[in-house]
Amino acid sequence: AIGEARLITPLRSEGGHRRYSRYQLRIAARARELVDQGTPIEAACRIIILEDQLEEAQRINAEYRHAAESANPTTEA
């Protein structure tokens, strides 16, 4: 169902076998967790996408904050 929802798309080996990254396996496990709790697969996929976007935004924000602090160090008395 996760593949049909196009949440993750596996790479293919030369022999045609599906190959998943650790990140994709983590997403699949999170989707399974949400579905097992009764969340419809479409909603679970949307939740996972939003969680991923939030994590990325927080990472970028932390980088900007670190860069700003490095550019303008405060002096302590």
Side-chain angles (χ1 to χ4, degrees):
I2 294 169
E4 292 172 12
R6 296 186 184 147
L7 182 61
I8 56 175
T9 303
L11 296 174
R12 295 281 180 169
S13 69
E14 290 182 21
H17 298 284
R18 289 177 290 215
R19 300 185 56 91
Y20 296 94
S21 68
R22 286 190 174 111
Y23 173 74
Q24 289 173 319
L25 293 174
R26 201 168 59 242
I27 287 175
R30 177 67 175 134
R32 170 56 57 194
E33 177 185 332
L34 290 168
V35 169
D36 286 349
Q37 293 173 0
T39 306
I41 187 67
E42 296 83 11
C45 290
R46 185 68 181 140
I47 289 168
I48 292 166
I49 290 167
L50 290 170
E51 287 174 341
D52 199 44
Q53 289 173 343
L54 175 60
E55 184 179 321
E56 177 68 6
Q58 289 173 330
R59 185 191 62 75
I60 291 169
N61 191 22
E63 287 177 5
Y64 284 145
R65 189 175 304 124
H66 178 71
E69 290 170 356
S70 296
N72 300 315
T74 57
T75 56
E76 295 184 26

